[in-house]
Structures are given as structure tokens and as C-alpha cells.
Amino acid sequence: MPNQPPIVPMSSPDLTDLERQAVMDVLNTPDLSMGKRIEAFEASMSAFSGCRHAVGVSSGTAGLHLCVRAAGIGAGDLVITTPFSFVASANVLLFEGAAPVFVDVDPRTGNLLPDLVEEAARDLSSGSAITRRRWLPRRGVDETGKLKAILAVDVFGQPADYDPLRRTADRYGLKLIEDSCEALGAEYKGRKAGALADYGVYAFYPNKQITTGEGGVIVTDNQAAAQMMRALRNQGRAPGDTWLQHTYLGYNYRLDEMSAALGAAQMTRLPELLEKRQQVADWYAERLAEIPGVQPPQLADTTSRVSWFVFVIHLRPGIDRARLAARLGDYGIPVRPYFLPIHLQPYMVDRFGFEPGDFPVTEDLGERGLALPFSGKMSQEQVDLVCKTLRDCLLE
Ligand SMILES: Cc1ncc(COP(=O)(O)O)c(C=O)c1O
């Protein structure tokens, strides 16, 4: 059978007339950037997260980059982070000439293992070159570089384990950054994801829990950092600078008014959007329990609420994922391998000399993970169809 166009979309934004009207209202004003919509959107994100400050930016990547700048991470510095993530969480370190110190992850959730992070932080804070060496990439790194931060990622909508990460950060004087780009609405021991570190970042690409087209928001309680981030997103203009005065080297990471209006409208629907995603995840979990060879997503005890971003299953070792994905494609069911480990991306290998086998759990998850079509707009019939086709393809 020839490869069919998808009969179920991989993901889809959930938009109504409320969002359409909100964007149209902006287009009927002359204020398309830096107006009252971004202020309103930031206020809603601040209220939602419980953080004092929210800074709207043009993408999650831009937000993470500003966290790196605000944390004072620069050339030669080291940051402990995860190889099991979307590349942006590590790339932002490279933007500033810092190096990632990858540590392996929890096989159940794909999130950082706090014990390994503690061990790495302890060793990298020691003066012994031999003790430090074990954690460093093979090349492309300043071996005497200073450990500055931990950058954790809330993978697939489930928060990492922040209580022990916080203790490690405090013990070794490190900043803690939370990449919550996949986890808006998730909760860790009853606390909101995104608000669990010194700085947190949400992202709003169209496959996310809410969308602004492109966009992100940083949340923090740190006023000085928030002020610096506002300046850096706006071409380095400090408070009081005119349009052509630039106190700092900055960027254009502004979120425009149409995107902000869309985001604010989506935020008013967040409970409904999260519930719909939960319903689809529940249908999947029910159907998948009947399919041998397939492991549904697993939740940590510390996750008091998961905020479903993608729905990633793991295939039993020995199942040929590429063949399965191709067969599903033949039936019009799109799927994606998720994640391809960051340390094995070609530019990472070139720069740091990573090799297969360096982070076995990440690699194993990366080899067996398969994201199924997922959005809050999926019907029960669509979930049934995906699961039935998956079962048929596995039996072929
Ligand atoms: C874990 C993680 N970090 C960062 C990002 C980057 O967000 P954006 O695409 O908005 O730049 C994403 C986006 O998919 C992500 O999943």
C-alpha cells in the first residue's frame, strides 16, 4: 500500500472563535508590538504560575537563552543537564560558549535522576582534575570550567524531581533552571511546573497545551533577573533607554501583540484544554493495555498532575520501530521517534566527541520511543483507530 496522507493529524491546536476574535481585535488597532496584550498575557501567566514576574518572549528557546544569560552562564562554564530532551535545552548553553554536562535519566519518566545530578555536582565542585574528568565531554570543553547551574527539563509534560535538585543546587551554589516548555499545567507534589526553580520557561508552539503560534514565557520571582530579561529581549534596552539606546548586548526576542492576545485567550480555556488532553490520554491508556509489546507512559510518584504534551509509548526490545512506523504511515497514521538523544546529534558529536553508549538509558528510550498522534481534539474513534492499526501492524 502506498504511503497515505495522514488520516489522523500528529497534533492540532485547539482554537475557537474566542481566539480568532482576540487576534482580530489586535489587528483593528495600530499596536502590533509591545502593547497592552503582552502585559495582559504576562499577568495571566504570573497569576497562573504563582511567580511574581512573567516575561513574554518569541519562543521557548529564546526564553531559555535569556535564563542562561540572566544566570550569568558564559564561555567555559559548565551546566548539568539532560541528553533526553528537545535539542533547544542544551543548545542555549552552546549559544553562550558554555558546555553541557549530561547525566543519564530515569528509565520510567525520562527525567533527570537527582542522585546522579548530586554526584556530578559534588565531583565537578571538587578541585581534583581526575574526579571532574569522569563527567566531562571528551573534547570541546574547558576542563577547569566552573559549574554554574542545573538545567532540568519536564519531559513530555511531567515535572522533574525538583526537591532534591534544589538541595543539590543550594549545596553547591548553583542556579536551577526549569525547562517546562512541555509541561504547562503539570504539577509536582501539588506545585505548578514552571515555578519549581529559579527561572522556568513555558513554550507555545502549535502542538503545545496552549499555543501562540510561536512564543514562550519565562516565570521567576527574581526581580533583577526579570528586569534583565526584559531588557535583553528588547535589543538590550534598559529601563529609561530610548529606542536607539542599548545598555546591553540584546536580542529581538519580543512576543508580538497578536501572539500575546492569542495566548491570553487560550489561557482562559486552559482547564478545558488540559481536561480534553487528559481524556485522550485516558482513552489511549485503556486501549493500549490490550496490546502486547507496548508500554504506555509511566508516571513518577512526585507527579501530582501530568499535563499531556505528547503521548509516547515504548516498544518492547526487538520490535523494529522503523518498520512499524513505516507500516503505520502506510495506513495514514503518523508517528515520530521521540527523542533522538541530544548527545548523538551530529554537531554535538563533532564538538564534544560523544559516542553511542555514553548515556545508555537515554539511548534505550530514544531507540524504543514512539509518539502517537495526540491532541485534545482527538475523538475516541480516532484513538481506537490508531490503537487498532498499531495492534494490526504489530501482528503482521
Ligand atoms: C523541552 C523543550 N525545550 C525547549 C523547546 C523550545 O521551544 P520553542 O520551539 O518554542 O523554541 C521545546 C519545544 O518543543 C521543548 O520541547
Side-chain angles (χ1 to χ4, degrees), residues 81-323:
T81 191
T82 170
F84 189 69
S85 171
F86 184 69
V87 286
S89 60
N91 286 353
V92 294
L93 306 174
L94 275 59
F95 292 172
E96 293 303 319
V101 174
F102 290 129
V103 301
D104 218 343
V105 298
D106 186 328
R108 293 168 311 141
T109 62
N111 276 328
L112 276 176
L113 280 169
D115 287 352
L116 266 188
V117 173
E118 165 67 26
E119 226 184 299
R122 184 198 60 207
D123 288 355
L124 289 165
S125 302
S126 96
S128 155
I130 297 169
T131 307
R132 289 166 56 88
R133 189 72 217 108
R134 162 180 170 211
W135 300 96
L136 298 178
R138 287 182 183 79
R139 60 171 186 263
V141 61
D142 174 357
E143 299 216 356
T144 62
K146 188 169 167 30
L147 181 64
K148 283 283 188 65
I150 300 166
L151 195 162
V153 178
D154 302 337
V155 171
F156 303 153
Q158 192 172 184
D161 192 357
Y162 285 92
D163 283 348
L165 291 177
R166 177 84 264 166
R167 285 195 289 276
T168 297
D170 289 348
R171 194 171 293 127
Y172 300 102
L174 310 174
K175 290 282 185 218
L176 183 57
I177 301 172
E178 178 177 7
D179 177 343
S180 210
C181 289
E182 301 188 349
L184 177 72
E187 289 176 16
Y188 168 81
K189 301 183 183 176
R191 285 135 59 194
K192 289 270 187 324
L196 301 166
D198 295 310
Y199 324 109
V201 181
Y202 303 116
F204 311 124
Y205 190 74
N207 62 349
K208 295 285 162 62
Q209 291 87 347
I210 70 161
T211 187
T212 58
E214 297 285 356
V217 161
I218 309 159
V219 291
T220 181
D221 282 332
N222 182 328
Q223 181 164 2
Q227 190 169 318
M228 177 58 104
M229 289 162 172
R230 287 183 191 287
L232 294 183
R233 80 169 168 189
N234 188 22
Q235 301 285 15
R237 296 181 183 100
D241 279 354
T242 64
W243 189 250
L244 294 176
Q245 283 179 318
H246 308 269
T247 299
Y248 310 108
L249 169 65
Y251 314 91
N252 180 352
Y253 282 169
R254 296 184 298 260
L255 183 71
D256 66 67
E257 288 288 284
M258 291 74 75
S259 304
L262 177 52
Q266 286 255 278
M267 275 307 280
T268 65
R269 295 182 54 224
L270 185 65
E272 172 207 336
L273 296 175
L274 294 180
E275 258 169 50
K276 286 160 90 176
R277 296 173 86 93
Q278 180 65 52
Q279 173 65 79
V280 174
D282 289 344
W283 287 330
Y284 263 131
E286 222 173 87
R287 302 296 177 283
L288 290 171
E290 300 154 12
I291 304 182
V294 160
Q295 187 183 63
Q298 297 184 61
L299 302 186
D301 297 342
T302 51
T303 301
S304 42
R305 177 169 197 182
V306 61
S307 172
W308 295 98
F309 161 51
V310 281
F311 198 89
V312 177
I313 56 170
H314 286 92
L315 304 174
R316 193 178 52 214
I319 295 176
D320 182 342
R321 181 177 65 177
R323 196 201 70 89

